[in-house]
Amino acid sequence: MAEHTGLNLTLRVWRQENRHAQGRFETYEVKNISTEASFLEMMDILNEQLINEGKQPVAFDHDCREGICGMCSLFINGRAHGPDDDITTCQLHMRKFHDGQTITIEPWRSGGFPIIRDLMVDRSAYDKIMQAGGFVSVSTGGVPDANAIPIPKADADEAMDAAACIGCGACAATCKNGSAMLFVSAKVSQLALLPQGRAEAAKRAKAMVAKMDELGFGNCTNTGACELECPKSVSIAHIARLNREFLKANIKD
């Protein structure tokens, strides 16, 4: 008899035809999954199995599979991106699970991210927030030399940490209030810390917060769950900076 080397798993997967349909969990069995496979490779195997059985494959988002695009938005056993820290779903490997385990797979659960189909959600709300003010539009002429604008290293490092946000939506999906404050604060912070972003700082903070509220995201109550589940470890200290920027903008008015 051949030695068993893979994982036999039970998958409880959320299935939903569209945002208006009634969703439900469906149960599938997958066998002999390599512990070296990524979670998305396991999902690919499941979909091949379903197609071979003449069934509809599970729809889920993915793109780069390198942890930099933020597309792989899955809630796995109650955690955004699954049971590991500082990773996206595509960086999650099956060695984090054990043989015979039941894995529950859901889409992001947030009012700001309506379900498109199965595990795919509409995250265009984040794009709309960015369009509201997450950019620098002042005329800067030609590209200056790298050292032409002196920036303290501490500020540059903190701006880079904020810029590490990939907009995956794990923060809003994890927050009990469905707040997008960590995402918005990261995008505001990365510009607020740099001279190029100061010219439009007040306008940016007000516009992005207003768009966030308009799109139905909740308020921040500083529980820290967003920071804990952020795959890039973006700090909630940026939320404090966003609050300061927003307050200064309103005082200035």
Side-chain angles (χ1 to χ4, degrees):
M1 182 180 292
E3 183 181 356
H4 172 65
T5 57
L7 303 175
N8 295 329
L9 302 165
T10 299
L11 307 179
R12 295 180 67 246
V13 183
W14 185 259
R15 305 302 305 265
Q16 186 170 334
E17 282 71 23
N18 55 63
R19 69 181 63 188
H20 304 296
Q22 183 70 40
R24 76 279 177 197
F25 281 107
E26 291 190 1
T27 302
Y28 307 103
E29 304 288 335
V30 290
K31 299 185 181 300
N32 202 30
I33 301 296
S34 170
T35 54
E36 297 306 307
S38 73
F39 195 87
L40 295 189
E41 287 171 334
M42 183 276 294
M43 293 295 295
D44 290 337
I45 292 170
L46 169 64
N47 277 344
E48 288 178 9
Q49 179 178 307
L50 292 174
I51 291 169
N52 290 335
E53 294 171 357
K55 299 177 181 177
Q56 193 73 16
V58 178
F60 64 95
D61 268 327
H62 61 94
D63 191 2
C64 73
R65 300 204 178 194
E66 295 178 348
I68 57 176
C69 75
M71 290 291 289
C72 50
S73 49
L74 298 182
F75 229 72
I76 303 165
N77 283 350
R79 289 191 64 182
H81 296 303
D84 204 350
D85 299 324
D86 304 331
I87 62 160
T88 54
T89 302
C90 64
Q91 296 172 301
L92 177 66
H93 285 79
M94 298 311 295
R95 56 180 171 268
K96 287 290 180 178
F97 303 92
H98 59 78
D99 189 38
Q101 186 171 355
T102 296
I103 304 175
T104 300
I105 310 167
E106 303 172 76
W108 282 168
R109 302 292 192 182
S110 174
F113 301 139
I115 292 175
I116 298 173
R117 183 181 182 90
D118 295 340
L119 304 175
M120 293 178 64
V121 299
D122 182 355
R123 293 180 301 140
S124 62
Y126 272 14
D127 296 327
K128 293 174 183 175
I129 292 172
M130 289 296 290
Q131 290 164 4
F135 52 85
V136 174
S137 61
V138 294
S139 176
T140 56
V143 179
D145 292 336
N147 296 322
I149 304 177
I151 300 172
K153 185 177 187 304
D155 291 347
D157 288 346
E158 195 171 358
M160 286 297 293
D161 288 344
C165 169
I166 56 176
C168 68
C171 49
T174 299
C175 177
K176 65 181 182 180
N177 303 323
S179 174
M181 283 285 280
L182 189 66
F183 166 75
V184 175
S185 68
K187 298 308 177 184
V188 166
S189 201
Q190 72 185 60
L191 295 172
L193 285 158
L194 303 177
Q196 296 92 332
R198 294 310 306 165
E200 299 173 295
K203 176 183 176 183
R204 176 181 304 111
K206 290 170 60 180
M208 294 182 76
V209 169
K211 181 60 68 172
M212 174 183 68
D213 291 342
E214 175 191 327
L215 294 171
F217 291 99
N219 295 320
C220 172
T221 47
N222 294 308
T223 59
C226 54
E227 178 182 322
L228 181 66
E229 297 296 1
C230 174
K232 301 302 177 181
S233 299
V234 174
S235 172
I236 58 174
H238 294 297
I239 296 177
R241 177 172 292 103
L242 170 60
N243 289 333
R244 291 195 299 271
E245 292 290 319
F246 184 76
L247 181 61
K248 285 191 295 184
N250 282 281
I251 291 175
K252 184 177 180 180
D253 286 347

PDB file of all heavy atoms in Angstrom, residues 154-155 158-159 161-162 181 184-194 198 201 205 209 235-249:
ATOM      1  N   ALA A 154      13.705  59.313   9.508  1.00  0.00           N
ATOM      2  CA  ALA A 154      12.582  58.769  10.277  1.00  0.00           C
ATOM      3  C   ALA A 154      11.266  58.982   9.535  1.00  0.00           C
ATOM      4  O   ALA A 154      10.408  58.093   9.492  1.00  0.00           O
ATOM      5  CB  ALA A 154      12.530  59.422  11.655  1.00  0.00           C
ATOM      6  N   ASP A 155      11.115  60.175   8.923  1.00  0.00           N
ATOM      7  CA  ASP A 155       9.899  60.462   8.159  1.00  0.00           C
ATOM      8  C   ASP A 155       9.831  59.598   6.907  1.00  0.00           C
ATOM      9  O   ASP A 155       8.765  59.077   6.556  1.00  0.00           O
ATOM     10  CB  ASP A 155       9.849  61.940   7.769  1.00  0.00           C
ATOM     11  CG  ASP A 155       9.627  62.857   8.960  1.00  0.00           C
ATOM     12  OD1 ASP A 155       9.265  62.338  10.041  1.00  0.00           O
ATOM     13  OD2 ASP A 155       9.825  64.075   8.821  1.00  0.00           O
ATOM     14  N   GLU A 158       8.902  56.043   7.871  1.00  0.00           N
ATOM     15  CA  GLU A 158       7.497  55.909   8.264  1.00  0.00           C
ATOM     16  C   GLU A 158       6.579  56.026   7.051  1.00  0.00           C
ATOM     17  O   GLU A 158       5.563  55.318   6.943  1.00  0.00           O
ATOM     18  CB  GLU A 158       7.132  56.959   9.314  1.00  0.00           C
ATOM     19  CG  GLU A 158       5.825  56.655  10.026  1.00  0.00           C
ATOM     20  CD  GLU A 158       5.572  57.566  11.215  1.00  0.00           C
ATOM     21  OE1 GLU A 158       6.425  58.411  11.520  1.00  0.00           O
ATOM     22  OE2 GLU A 158       4.501  57.423  11.828  1.00  0.00           O
ATOM     23  N   ALA A 159       6.930  56.897   6.115  1.00  0.00           N
ATOM     24  CA  ALA A 159       6.150  57.028   4.888  1.00  0.00           C
ATOM     25  C   ALA A 159       6.200  55.741   4.079  1.00  0.00           C
ATOM     26  O   ALA A 159       5.185  55.309   3.503  1.00  0.00           O
ATOM     27  CB  ALA A 159       6.672  58.200   4.054  1.00  0.00           C
ATOM     28  N   ASP A 161       6.665  52.741   5.313  1.00  0.00           N
ATOM     29  CA  ASP A 161       5.864  51.751   6.032  1.00  0.00           C
ATOM     30  C   ASP A 161       4.383  51.916   5.699  1.00  0.00           C
ATOM     31  O   ASP A 161       3.662  50.928   5.517  1.00  0.00           O
ATOM     32  CB  ASP A 161       6.072  51.892   7.545  1.00  0.00           C
ATOM     33  CG  ASP A 161       7.447  51.417   7.997  1.00  0.00           C
ATOM     34  OD1 ASP A 161       8.109  50.704   7.221  1.00  0.00           O
ATOM     35  OD2 ASP A 161       7.860  51.773   9.118  1.00  0.00           O
ATOM     36  N   ALA A 162       3.922  53.157   5.615  1.00  0.00           N
ATOM     37  CA  ALA A 162       2.524  53.414   5.266  1.00  0.00           C
ATOM     38  C   ALA A 162       2.243  53.008   3.825  1.00  0.00           C
ATOM     39  O   ALA A 162       1.193  52.441   3.507  1.00  0.00           O
ATOM     40  CB  ALA A 162       2.195  54.887   5.474  1.00  0.00           C
ATOM     41  N   MET A 181     -10.486  52.786   8.206  1.00  0.00           N
ATOM     42  CA  MET A 181      -9.579  53.814   8.714  1.00  0.00           C
ATOM     43  C   MET A 181      -8.098  53.452   8.539  1.00  0.00           C
ATOM     44  O   MET A 181      -7.274  54.333   8.273  1.00  0.00           O
ATOM     45  CB  MET A 181      -9.862  54.093  10.190  1.00  0.00           C
ATOM     46  CG  MET A 181     -11.094  54.937  10.424  1.00  0.00           C
ATOM     47  SD  MET A 181     -10.843  56.682  10.028  1.00  0.00           S
ATOM     48  CE  MET A 181     -10.004  57.257  11.505  1.00  0.00           C
ATOM     49  N   VAL A 184      -7.267  54.123   4.811  1.00  0.00           N
ATOM     50  CA  VAL A 184      -7.281  55.553   4.510  1.00  0.00           C
ATOM     51  C   VAL A 184      -6.119  56.257   5.204  1.00  0.00           C
ATOM     52  O   VAL A 184      -5.446  57.107   4.608  1.00  0.00           O
ATOM     53  CB  VAL A 184      -8.627  56.195   4.931  1.00  0.00           C
ATOM     54  CG1 VAL A 184      -8.594  57.700   4.723  1.00  0.00           C
ATOM     55  CG2 VAL A 184      -9.767  55.581   4.126  1.00  0.00           C
ATOM     56  N   SER A 185      -5.865  55.898   6.447  1.00  0.00           N
ATOM     57  CA  SER A 185      -4.782  56.556   7.185  1.00  0.00           C
ATOM     58  C   SER A 185      -3.425  56.241   6.584  1.00  0.00           C
ATOM     59  O   SER A 185      -2.532  57.101   6.559  1.00  0.00           O
ATOM     60  CB  SER A 185      -4.811  56.144   8.658  1.00  0.00           C
ATOM     61  OG  SER A 185      -4.477  54.778   8.831  1.00  0.00           O
ATOM     62  N   ALA A 186      -3.241  55.019   6.077  1.00  0.00           N
ATOM     63  CA  ALA A 186      -1.969  54.669   5.444  1.00  0.00           C
ATOM     64  C   ALA A 186      -1.750  55.514   4.197  1.00  0.00           C
ATOM     65  O   ALA A 186      -0.643  56.020   3.945  1.00  0.00           O
ATOM     66  CB  ALA A 186      -1.937  53.184   5.099  1.00  0.00           C
ATOM     67  N   LYS A 187      -2.800  55.694   3.409  1.00  0.00           N
ATOM     68  CA  LYS A 187      -2.678  56.463   2.170  1.00  0.00           C
ATOM     69  C   LYS A 187      -2.504  57.948   2.439  1.00  0.00           C
ATOM     70  O   LYS A 187      -1.791  58.650   1.702  1.00  0.00           O
ATOM     71  CB  LYS A 187      -3.899  56.210   1.283  1.00  0.00           C
ATOM     72  CG  LYS A 187      -4.059  54.755   0.857  1.00  0.00           C
ATOM     73  CD  LYS A 187      -2.799  54.198   0.239  1.00  0.00           C
ATOM     74  CE  LYS A 187      -2.903  52.736  -0.138  1.00  0.00           C
ATOM     75  NZ  LYS A 187      -1.628  52.190  -0.661  1.00  0.00           N
ATOM     76  N   VAL A 188      -3.139  58.458   3.485  1.00  0.00           N
ATOM     77  CA  VAL A 188      -2.945  59.848   3.873  1.00  0.00           C
ATOM     78  C   VAL A 188      -1.553  60.039   4.474  1.00  0.00           C
ATOM     79  O   VAL A 188      -0.840  61.001   4.170  1.00  0.00           O
ATOM     80  CB  VAL A 188      -4.028  60.299   4.874  1.00  0.00           C
ATOM     81  CG1 VAL A 188      -3.651  61.617   5.546  1.00  0.00           C
ATOM     82  CG2 VAL A 188      -5.375  60.446   4.169  1.00  0.00           C
ATOM     83  N   SER A 189      -1.145  59.102   5.303  1.00  0.00           N
ATOM     84  CA  SER A 189       0.108  59.213   6.041  1.00  0.00           C
ATOM     85  C   SER A 189       1.321  59.215   5.116  1.00  0.00           C
ATOM     86  O   SER A 189       2.273  59.983   5.311  1.00  0.00           O
ATOM     87  CB  SER A 189       0.224  58.063   7.042  1.00  0.00           C
ATOM     88  OG  SER A 189       1.118  58.361   8.076  1.00  0.00           O
ATOM     89  N   GLN A 190       1.292  58.368   4.098  1.00  0.00           N
ATOM     90  CA  GLN A 190       2.466  58.272   3.230  1.00  0.00           C
ATOM     91  C   GLN A 190       2.729  59.575   2.488  1.00  0.00           C
ATOM     92  O   GLN A 190       3.877  59.856   2.100  1.00  0.00           O
ATOM     93  CB  GLN A 190       2.288  57.120   2.225  1.00  0.00           C
ATOM     94  CG  GLN A 190       1.281  57.383   1.125  1.00  0.00           C
ATOM     95  CD  GLN A 190       1.062  56.175   0.248  1.00  0.00           C
ATOM     96  OE1 GLN A 190       0.650  55.117   0.705  1.00  0.00           O
ATOM     97  NE2 GLN A 190       1.338  56.316  -1.039  1.00  0.00           N
ATOM     98  N   LEU A 191       1.679  60.396   2.308  1.00  0.00           N
ATOM     99  CA  LEU A 191       1.849  61.692   1.650  1.00  0.00           C
ATOM    100  C   LEU A 191       2.025  62.819   2.661  1.00  0.00           C
ATOM    101  O   LEU A 191       2.762  63.775   2.414  1.00  0.00           O
ATOM    102  CB  LEU A 191       0.651  61.979   0.748  1.00  0.00           C
ATOM    103  CG  LEU A 191       0.498  61.017  -0.448  1.00  0.00           C
ATOM    104  CD1 LEU A 191      -0.810  61.261  -1.170  1.00  0.00           C
ATOM    105  CD2 LEU A 191       1.678  61.148  -1.405  1.00  0.00           C
ATOM    106  N   ALA A 192       1.355  62.702   3.812  1.00  0.00           N
ATOM    107  CA  ALA A 192       1.440  63.754   4.829  1.00  0.00           C
ATOM    108  C   ALA A 192       2.855  63.893   5.388  1.00  0.00           C
ATOM    109  O   ALA A 192       3.244  64.968   5.863  1.00  0.00           O
ATOM    110  CB  ALA A 192       0.463  63.469   5.965  1.00  0.00           C
ATOM    111  N   LEU A 193       3.615  62.818   5.345  1.00  0.00           N
ATOM    112  CA  LEU A 193       4.966  62.835   5.898  1.00  0.00           C
ATOM    113  C   LEU A 193       6.000  63.425   4.940  1.00  0.00           C
ATOM    114  O   LEU A 193       7.132  63.683   5.336  1.00  0.00           O
ATOM    115  CB  LEU A 193       5.384  61.402   6.272  1.00  0.00           C
ATOM    116  CG  LEU A 193       4.743  60.844   7.544  1.00  0.00           C
ATOM    117  CD1 LEU A 193       4.779  59.328   7.544  1.00  0.00           C
ATOM    118  CD2 LEU A 193       5.454  61.398   8.773  1.00  0.00           C
ATOM    119  N   LEU A 194       5.614  63.624   3.685  1.00  0.00           N
ATOM    120  CA  LEU A 194       6.567  64.086   2.677  1.00  0.00           C
ATOM    121  C   LEU A 194       6.230  65.495   2.207  1.00  0.00           C
ATOM    122  O   LEU A 194       5.051  65.870   2.135  1.00  0.00           O
ATOM    123  CB  LEU A 194       6.563  63.128   1.480  1.00  0.00           C
ATOM    124  CG  LEU A 194       6.881  61.663   1.810  1.00  0.00           C
ATOM    125  CD1 LEU A 194       6.768  60.807   0.559  1.00  0.00           C
ATOM    126  CD2 LEU A 194       8.271  61.530   2.419  1.00  0.00           C
ATOM    127  N   ARG A 198       2.348  67.907   1.226  1.00  0.00           N
ATOM    128  CA  ARG A 198       1.828  68.901   2.172  1.00  0.00           C
ATOM    129  C   ARG A 198       0.926  69.937   1.503  1.00  0.00           C
ATOM    130  O   ARG A 198       0.005  70.470   2.135  1.00  0.00           O
ATOM    131  CB  ARG A 198       2.982  69.626   2.870  1.00  0.00           C
ATOM    132  CG  ARG A 198       3.824  68.753   3.791  1.00  0.00           C
ATOM    133  CD  ARG A 198       2.994  67.952   4.772  1.00  0.00           C
ATOM    134  NE  ARG A 198       2.081  68.777   5.553  1.00  0.00           N
ATOM    135  CZ  ARG A 198       1.071  68.295   6.259  1.00  0.00           C
ATOM    136  NH1 ARG A 198       0.817  66.986   6.244  1.00  0.00           N
ATOM    137  NH2 ARG A 198       0.292  69.101   6.966  1.00  0.00           N
ATOM    138  N   ALA A 201      -2.576  68.679   1.650  1.00  0.00           N
ATOM    139  CA  ALA A 201      -2.832  67.838   2.818  1.00  0.00           C
ATOM    140  C   ALA A 201      -4.245  68.012   3.374  1.00  0.00           C
ATOM    141  O   ALA A 201      -4.952  67.034   3.641  1.00  0.00           O
ATOM    142  CB  ALA A 201      -1.803  68.137   3.911  1.00  0.00           C
ATOM    143  N   ALA A 205      -7.185  64.982   3.281  1.00  0.00           N
ATOM    144  CA  ALA A 205      -7.741  64.346   4.476  1.00  0.00           C
ATOM    145  C   ALA A 205      -9.259  64.458   4.495  1.00  0.00           C
ATOM    146  O   ALA A 205      -9.970  63.478   4.763  1.00  0.00           O
ATOM    147  CB  ALA A 205      -7.135  64.961   5.729  1.00  0.00           C
ATOM    148  N   VAL A 209     -11.790  61.097   3.851  1.00  0.00           N
ATOM    149  CA  VAL A 209     -12.664  60.720   4.963  1.00  0.00           C
ATOM    150  C   VAL A 209     -14.128  60.844   4.546  1.00  0.00           C
ATOM    151  O   VAL A 209     -14.959  59.977   4.858  1.00  0.00           O
ATOM    152  CB  VAL A 209     -12.368  61.584   6.207  1.00  0.00           C
ATOM    153  CG1 VAL A 209     -13.456  61.389   7.265  1.00  0.00           C
ATOM    154  CG2 VAL A 209     -11.002  61.229   6.790  1.00  0.00           C
ATOM    155  N   SER A 235       0.736  50.071  10.898  1.00  0.00           N
ATOM    156  CA  SER A 235       0.451  50.413  12.289  1.00  0.00           C
ATOM    157  C   SER A 235      -0.776  51.310  12.414  1.00  0.00           C
ATOM    158  O   SER A 235      -1.018  52.195  11.572  1.00  0.00           O
ATOM    159  CB  SER A 235       1.656  51.125  12.901  1.00  0.00           C
ATOM    160  OG  SER A 235       1.338  51.636  14.186  1.00  0.00           O
ATOM    161  N   ILE A 236      -1.535  51.092  13.498  1.00  0.00           N
ATOM    162  CA  ILE A 236      -2.679  51.966  13.760  1.00  0.00           C
ATOM    163  C   ILE A 236      -2.222  53.359  14.204  1.00  0.00           C
ATOM    164  O   ILE A 236      -3.048  54.257  14.345  1.00  0.00           O
ATOM    165  CB  ILE A 236      -3.629  51.373  14.827  1.00  0.00           C
ATOM    166  CG1 ILE A 236      -2.903  51.112  16.149  1.00  0.00           C
ATOM    167  CG2 ILE A 236      -4.305  50.131  14.312  1.00  0.00           C
ATOM    168  CD1 ILE A 236      -3.828  50.669  17.273  1.00  0.00           C
ATOM    169  N   ALA A 237      -0.912  53.557  14.380  1.00  0.00           N
ATOM    170  CA  ALA A 237      -0.404  54.909  14.660  1.00  0.00           C
ATOM    171  C   ALA A 237      -0.746  55.848  13.505  1.00  0.00           C
ATOM    172  O   ALA A 237      -0.899  57.064  13.708  1.00  0.00           O
ATOM    173  CB  ALA A 237       1.103  54.876  14.874  1.00  0.00           C
ATOM    174  N   HIS A 238      -0.895  55.292  12.302  1.00  0.00           N
ATOM    175  CA  HIS A 238      -1.255  56.126  11.154  1.00  0.00           C
ATOM    176  C   HIS A 238      -2.681  56.665  11.298  1.00  0.00           C
ATOM    177  O   HIS A 238      -2.999  57.728  10.761  1.00  0.00           O
ATOM    178  CB  HIS A 238      -1.103  55.338   9.855  1.00  0.00           C
ATOM    179  CG  HIS A 238       0.313  54.960   9.545  1.00  0.00           C
ATOM    180  ND1 HIS A 238       1.289  55.893   9.313  1.00  0.00           N
ATOM    181  CD2 HIS A 238       0.920  53.740   9.456  1.00  0.00           C
ATOM    182  CE1 HIS A 238       2.450  55.285   9.077  1.00  0.00           C
ATOM    183  NE2 HIS A 238       2.244  53.976   9.161  1.00  0.00           N
ATOM    184  N   ILE A 239      -3.541  55.925  12.006  1.00  0.00           N
ATOM    185  CA  ILE A 239      -4.901  56.416  12.231  1.00  0.00           C
ATOM    186  C   ILE A 239      -4.863  57.681  13.079  1.00  0.00           C
ATOM    187  O   ILE A 239      -5.632  58.629  12.846  1.00  0.00           O
ATOM    188  CB  ILE A 239      -5.771  55.334  12.893  1.00  0.00           C
ATOM    189  CG1 ILE A 239      -5.936  54.130  11.944  1.00  0.00           C
ATOM    190  CG2 ILE A 239      -7.135  55.889  13.290  1.00  0.00           C
ATOM    191  CD1 ILE A 239      -6.727  52.977  12.530  1.00  0.00           C
ATOM    192  N   ALA A 240      -3.967  57.710  14.054  1.00  0.00           N
ATOM    193  CA  ALA A 240      -3.811  58.920  14.879  1.00  0.00           C
ATOM    194  C   ALA A 240      -3.382  60.098  14.010  1.00  0.00           C
ATOM    195  O   ALA A 240      -3.863  61.231  14.194  1.00  0.00           O
ATOM    196  CB  ALA A 240      -2.801  58.671  15.982  1.00  0.00           C
ATOM    197  N   ARG A 241      -2.479  59.840  13.051  1.00  0.00           N
ATOM    198  CA  ARG A 241      -2.049  60.929  12.160  1.00  0.00           C
ATOM    199  C   ARG A 241      -3.205  61.391  11.280  1.00  0.00           C
ATOM    200  O   ARG A 241      -3.382  62.592  11.053  1.00  0.00           O
ATOM    201  CB  ARG A 241      -0.876  60.490  11.288  1.00  0.00           C
ATOM    202  CG  ARG A 241      -0.439  61.576  10.279  1.00  0.00           C
ATOM    203  CD  ARG A 241       0.831  61.261   9.537  1.00  0.00           C
ATOM    204  NE  ARG A 241       1.981  61.291  10.430  1.00  0.00           N
ATOM    205  CZ  ARG A 241       2.574  60.194  10.901  1.00  0.00           C
ATOM    206  NH1 ARG A 241       2.141  58.997  10.558  1.00  0.00           N
ATOM    207  NH2 ARG A 241       3.602  60.300  11.719  1.00  0.00           N
ATOM    208  N   LEU A 242      -3.998  60.445  10.771  1.00  0.00           N
ATOM    209  CA  LEU A 242      -5.162  60.832   9.965  1.00  0.00           C
ATOM    210  C   LEU A 242      -6.103  61.724  10.768  1.00  0.00           C
ATOM    211  O   LEU A 242      -6.595  62.735  10.260  1.00  0.00           O
ATOM    212  CB  LEU A 242      -5.905  59.588   9.473  1.00  0.00           C
ATOM    213  CG  LEU A 242      -7.269  59.830   8.808  1.00  0.00           C
ATOM    214  CD1 LEU A 242      -7.126  60.709   7.578  1.00  0.00           C
ATOM    215  CD2 LEU A 242      -7.942  58.508   8.457  1.00  0.00           C
ATOM    216  N   ASN A 243      -6.347  61.364  12.014  1.00  0.00           N
ATOM    217  CA  ASN A 243      -7.226  62.180  12.862  1.00  0.00           C
ATOM    218  C   ASN A 243      -6.670  63.580  13.050  1.00  0.00           C
ATOM    219  O   ASN A 243      -7.415  64.572  13.034  1.00  0.00           O
ATOM    220  CB  ASN A 243      -7.434  61.499  14.216  1.00  0.00           C
ATOM    221  CG  ASN A 243      -8.306  60.263  14.127  1.00  0.00           C
ATOM    222  OD1 ASN A 243      -9.146  60.159  13.233  1.00  0.00           O
ATOM    223  ND2 ASN A 243      -8.116  59.315  15.034  1.00  0.00           N
ATOM    224  N   ARG A 244      -5.352  63.680  13.225  1.00  0.00           N
ATOM    225  CA  ARG A 244      -4.722  65.002  13.375  1.00  0.00           C
ATOM    226  C   ARG A 244      -4.838  65.812  12.085  1.00  0.00           C
ATOM    227  O   ARG A 244      -5.146  67.006  12.112  1.00  0.00           O
ATOM    228  CB  ARG A 244      -3.249  64.851  13.777  1.00  0.00           C
ATOM    229  CG  ARG A 244      -3.027  64.320  15.184  1.00  0.00           C
ATOM    230  CD  ARG A 244      -1.601  64.546  15.648  1.00  0.00           C
ATOM    231  NE  ARG A 244      -0.626  63.872  14.809  1.00  0.00           N
ATOM    232  CZ  ARG A 244      -0.201  62.610  14.999  1.00  0.00           C
ATOM    233  NH1 ARG A 244      -0.699  61.896  16.008  1.00  0.00           N
ATOM    234  NH2 ARG A 244       0.701  62.076  14.220  1.00  0.00           N
ATOM    235  N   GLU A 245      -4.587  65.146  10.950  1.00  0.00           N
ATOM    236  CA  GLU A 245      -4.678  65.833   9.660  1.00  0.00           C
ATOM    237  C   GLU A 245      -6.108  66.320   9.413  1.00  0.00           C
ATOM    238  O   GLU A 245      -6.323  67.440   8.932  1.00  0.00           O
ATOM    239  CB  GLU A 245      -4.239  64.889   8.534  1.00  0.00           C
ATOM    240  CG  GLU A 245      -2.769  64.524   8.540  1.00  0.00           C
ATOM    241  CD  GLU A 245      -1.877  65.698   8.170  1.00  0.00           C
ATOM    242  OE1 GLU A 245      -2.236  66.452   7.246  1.00  0.00           O
ATOM    243  OE2 GLU A 245      -0.822  65.874   8.813  1.00  0.00           O
ATOM    244  N   PHE A 246      -7.075  65.471   9.748  1.00  0.00           N
ATOM    245  CA  PHE A 246      -8.481  65.834   9.533  1.00  0.00           C
ATOM    246  C   PHE A 246      -8.892  66.991  10.443  1.00  0.00           C
ATOM    247  O   PHE A 246      -9.583  67.920  10.017  1.00  0.00           O
ATOM    248  CB  PHE A 246      -9.361  64.604   9.786  1.00  0.00           C
ATOM    249  CG  PHE A 246     -10.823  64.816   9.495  1.00  0.00           C
ATOM    250  CD1 PHE A 246     -11.287  64.838   8.188  1.00  0.00           C
ATOM    251  CD2 PHE A 246     -11.730  64.987  10.521  1.00  0.00           C
ATOM    252  CE1 PHE A 246     -12.630  65.044   7.916  1.00  0.00           C
ATOM    253  CE2 PHE A 246     -13.075  65.191  10.270  1.00  0.00           C
ATOM    254  CZ  PHE A 246     -13.519  65.216   8.949  1.00  0.00           C
ATOM    255  N   LEU A 247      -8.447  66.937  11.705  1.00  0.00           N
ATOM    256  CA  LEU A 247      -8.778  68.007  12.654  1.00  0.00           C
ATOM    257  C   LEU A 247      -8.149  69.329  12.226  1.00  0.00           C
ATOM    258  O   LEU A 247      -8.808  70.376  12.245  1.00  0.00           O
ATOM    259  CB  LEU A 247      -8.306  67.617  14.062  1.00  0.00           C
ATOM    260  CG  LEU A 247      -8.588  68.615  15.175  1.00  0.00           C
ATOM    261  CD1 LEU A 247     -10.100  68.828  15.331  1.00  0.00           C
ATOM    262  CD2 LEU A 247      -7.991  68.127  16.503  1.00  0.00           C
ATOM    263  N   LYS A 248      -6.884  69.313  11.807  1.00  0.00           N
ATOM    264  CA  LYS A 248      -6.216  70.518  11.358  1.00  0.00           C
ATOM    265  C   LYS A 248      -6.895  71.114  10.140  1.00  0.00           C
ATOM    266  O   LYS A 248      -7.032  72.336  10.008  1.00  0.00           O
ATOM    267  CB  LYS A 248      -4.735  70.227  11.045  1.00  0.00           C
ATOM    268  CG  LYS A 248      -3.853  70.057  12.265  1.00  0.00           C
ATOM    269  CD  LYS A 248      -2.388  70.049  11.904  1.00  0.00           C
ATOM    270  CE  LYS A 248      -2.005  68.866  11.062  1.00  0.00           C
ATOM    271  NZ  LYS A 248      -0.549  68.817  10.780  1.00  0.00           N
ATOM    272  N   ALA A 249      -7.360  70.241   9.243  1.00  0.00           N
ATOM    273  CA  ALA A 249      -8.026  70.710   8.024  1.00  0.00           C
ATOM    274  C   ALA A 249      -9.315  71.443   8.365  1.00  0.00           C
ATOM    275  O   ALA A 249      -9.641  72.481   7.777  1.00  0.00           O
ATOM    276  CB  ALA A 249      -8.304  69.533   7.101  1.00  0.00           C
TER     277      ALA A 249
END
